[in-house]
């Protein structure tokens, strides 16, 4: 088992399979773009599958594909099918633009859970946030995934004076459709011009929701073990909503996640800058299981080592971290 000094069992691996993306979300990708890693230094399809297989042998039970945009990888179909053969729960986080082309592959591979990122229900605002005009495609693909029977979660990064006024519109989406809308507190990464005054906290979100519906109609529902979110449902609505409070109420004590970047570096926390180069070791024929265990032993208790909210909230503390597009969320 991949177990750390705080007895946290890590059985959930998130693999970023590409650094490329067909959107340019301002909170994720710096406006000047990112320096892409040269292809020879990225994991190939076979390396992704082999490293994943080794880690499944160490106790990984769930794998989520992410990126960049995982579905723009030229061999995305083959990677999904390959991972589908492993004894794991397979999931994906995508911006949804071309997800309709993958429905058969998902079904064939046993992938049932799709998280789609959509931060606004307004086409013009979508262009402001993502610097591209794909709103209609993403929304219609969300409906298509629901119709096809997938478990769909919609990820919304709430940013003050950008999309915070759409909170209730997003909740109304859950009235007649069985999706989960997940509001994510805005997190700091290199190049995303973060400061917490732009973030919207779980407290503020709940105050707005309770203010609109009345707290008697806002039901707190059960969280699953290791959930990073707190789950809720508006009385009588088909879908649910959740809040991921990584900044104001982090969930580090139950963390079971470990991340592999597209260039084969293992990361034990979103906020930590230390990485372990698995890919080079793999290519040299070394035993990567030892490196995985060393990486997890170095994991700190909370917030990537930032002692408290004040430390975490200093924007200059995050300049050394990668941009989110290079980590994968
Ligand atoms: N391209 C895919 C997508 O957008 O869903 C997968 C990669 S994206 C990096 C994964 C998730 O990270 C998305 O849901 C995105 O909204 C979230 N994310 C990116 N930057 C973030 C930030 N600064 N704070 C919070 N969440 C962020
Ligand atoms: Fe691309 Fe996803 Fe980042 Fe948006 S959030 S820029 S879609 S990787």
């Amino acid at each position: 088992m991949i177990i750390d000094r705080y007895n946290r069992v890590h059985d959930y691996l998130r693999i970023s399979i590409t650094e490329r993306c067909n959107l340019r979300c301002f909170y994720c990708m710096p406006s000047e773009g990112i320096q892409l890693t040269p292809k020879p230094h990225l994991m190939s399809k076979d390396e992704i599958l082999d490293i994943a297989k080794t880690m499944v042998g160490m106790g990984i039970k769930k794998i989520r594909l992410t990126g960049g945009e995982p579905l723009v990888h030229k061999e995305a179909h083959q990677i999904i099918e390959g991972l589908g053969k492993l004894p794991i729960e397979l999931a994906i986080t995508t911006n949804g633009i071309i997800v309709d082309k993958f429905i058969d592959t998902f079904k064939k591979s046993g992938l049932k859970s799709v998280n789609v990122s959509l931060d606004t229900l307004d086409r013009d605002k979508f262009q402001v946030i993502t610097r591209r005009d794909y709103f209609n495609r993403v929304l219609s693909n969300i409906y298509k995934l629901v119709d096809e029977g997938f478990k769909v979660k919609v990820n919304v990064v709430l940013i003050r004076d950008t999309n915070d006024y759409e909170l209730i519109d997003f909740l109304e989406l859950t009235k007649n459709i069985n999706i989960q809308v997940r509001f994510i507190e805005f997190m700091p990464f290199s190049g995303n011009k973060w400061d917490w005054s732009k973030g919207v906290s779980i407290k503020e979100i709940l105050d707005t929701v309770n203010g609109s519906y009345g707290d008697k109609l806002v039901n707190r529902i059960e969280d699953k073990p290791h959930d990073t979110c707190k789950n809720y449902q508006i009385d009588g609505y088909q879908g649910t909503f959740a809040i991921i409070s990584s900044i104001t109420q982090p969930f580090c004590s139950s963390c079971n996640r470990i991340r592999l970047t597209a260039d084969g570096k293992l990361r034990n926390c979103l906020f930590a800058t230390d990485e372990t180069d698995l890919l080079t070791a793999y290519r040299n024929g070394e035993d990567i299981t030892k490196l995985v265990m060393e990486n997890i032993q170095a994991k700190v208790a909370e917030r990537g080592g930032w002692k408290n909210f004040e430390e975490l909230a200093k924007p200059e503390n995050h300049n050394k971290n990668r941009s989110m597009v290079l980590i994968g969320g």
Side-chain angles (χ1 to χ4, degrees):
M1 281 201 295
I2 307 172
I3 185 162
D4 75 358
R5 290 176 294 158
Y6 304 93
N7 277 326
R8 293 176 292 199
V9 175
H10 290 71
D11 56 8
Y12 178 6
L13 172 66
R14 300 168 70 101
I15 310 178
S16 169
I17 61 170
T18 179
E19 298 175 345
R20 293 178 181 275
C21 190
N22 40 3
L23 291 183
R24 295 284 179 278
C25 306
F26 73 81
Y27 53 75
C28 176
M29 170 109 65
S31 47
E32 66 278 14
I34 46 149
Q35 184 77 42
L36 291 171
T37 305
K39 198 163 175 220
H41 300 298
L42 295 172
M43 294 186 291
S44 67
K45 174 198 72 169
D46 290 339
E47 287 169 337
I48 293 171
L49 295 178
D50 215 27
I51 292 174
K53 189 171 162 202
T54 301
M55 292 187 65
V56 170
M58 298 178 75
I60 292 295
K61 295 197 173 69
K62 174 173 178 180
I63 294 181
R64 175 175 299 279
L65 295 182
T66 175
E69 170 48 36
L71 300 181
V72 303
H73 190 295
K74 284 202 177 68
E75 294 176 291
H77 288 280
Q78 292 87 332
I79 293 170
I80 295 165
E81 282 169 21
L83 292 173
K85 296 190 179 115
L86 297 175
I88 47 150
E89 180 189 338
L90 185 59
I92 192 161
T93 302
T94 169
N95 61 29
I97 297 173
I98 53 172
V99 74
D100 50 316
K101 314 271 186 303
F102 285 81
I103 284 175
D104 290 344
T105 299
F106 288 171
K107 288 187 176 169
K108 230 192 295 171
S109 313
L111 188 159
K112 300 188 177 77
S113 167
V114 186
N115 290 6
V116 183
S117 303
L118 178 66
D119 303 298
T120 176
L121 297 170
D122 172 335
R123 183 177 168 186
D124 294 333
K125 181 59 60 112
F126 186 93
Q127 289 200 50
V128 172
I129 294 176
T130 68
R131 307 178 183 120
R132 297 288 184 274
D133 182 18
Y134 288 121
F135 172 75
N136 290 336
R137 259 210 237 180
V138 177
L139 191 63
S140 73
N141 277 342
I142 288 175
Y143 293 134
K144 192 170 280 176
L145 287 168
V146 174
D147 286 346
E148 293 283 347
F150 290 95
K151 192 171 133 206
V152 179
K153 296 180 183 170
V154 176
N155 285 351
V156 185
V157 181
L158 273 187
I159 301 181
R160 191 174 308 286
D161 300 331
T162 298
N163 61 351
D164 50 342
Y165 64 91
E166 295 191 64
L167 182 57
I168 302 302
D169 295 342
F170 271 108
L171 291 184
E172 285 304 299
L173 257 194
T174 69
K175 186 170 186 173
N176 298 314
I177 318 172
N178 188 10
I179 54 170
Q180 180 179 72
V181 172
R182 308 193 320 158
F183 301 111
I184 306 176
E185 288 183 351
F186 182 30
M187 291 186 271
F189 294 97
S190 183
N192 74 352
K193 302 190 175 76
W194 182 91
D195 76 72
W196 181 238
S197 67
K198 297 178 194 155
V200 185
S201 70
I202 181 168
K203 178 175 182 310
E204 217 179 314
I205 295 171
L206 286 175
D207 285 349
T208 306
V209 178
N210 289 333
S212 280
Y213 293 94
D215 52 7
K216 287 202 184 63
L217 290 186
V218 182
N219 301 322
R220 180 79 166 89
I221 56 174
E222 206 183 332
D223 303 331
K224 290 205 222 78
H226 307 295
D227 259 356
T228 51
C229 55
K230 298 181 178 69
N231 294 278
Y232 304 83
Q233 187 167 36
I234 307 291
D235 218 36
Y237 282 23
Q238 280 191 46
T240 60
F241 76 97
I243 305 172
I244 304 183
S245 53
S246 330
I247 301 293
T248 63
Q249 293 178 26
F251 26 78
C252 306
S253 63
S254 63
C255 182
N256 65 341
R257 285 137 205 259
I258 186 159
R259 296 174 162 83
L260 186 60
T261 60
D263 59 349
K265 308 283 193 313
L266 199 65
R267 296 178 58 107
N268 59 35
C269 176
L270 267 181
F271 293 126
T273 47
D274 288 348
E275 299 180 337
T276 302
D277 184 357
L278 278 199
L279 182 58
T280 304
Y282 173 87
R283 287 181 179 174
N284 291 338
E286 291 167 33
D287 175 13
I288 63 166
T289 61
K290 199 167 142 264
L291 292 178
V292 172
M293 292 313 290
E294 279 169 16
N295 177 283
I296 215 65
Q297 288 306 309
K299 182 161 175 160
V300 298
E302 259 199 354
R303 294 177 161 120
W306 302 115
K307 278 195 241 58
N308 47 38
F309 173 79
E310 285 67 34
E311 285 296 308
L312 183 76
K314 286 183 186 155
E316 65 272 22
N317 281 346
H318 303 283
N319 295 337
K320 280 205 220 97
N321 202 353
R322 295 184 186 224
S323 295
M324 183 62 135
V325 67
L326 295 177
I327 304 174

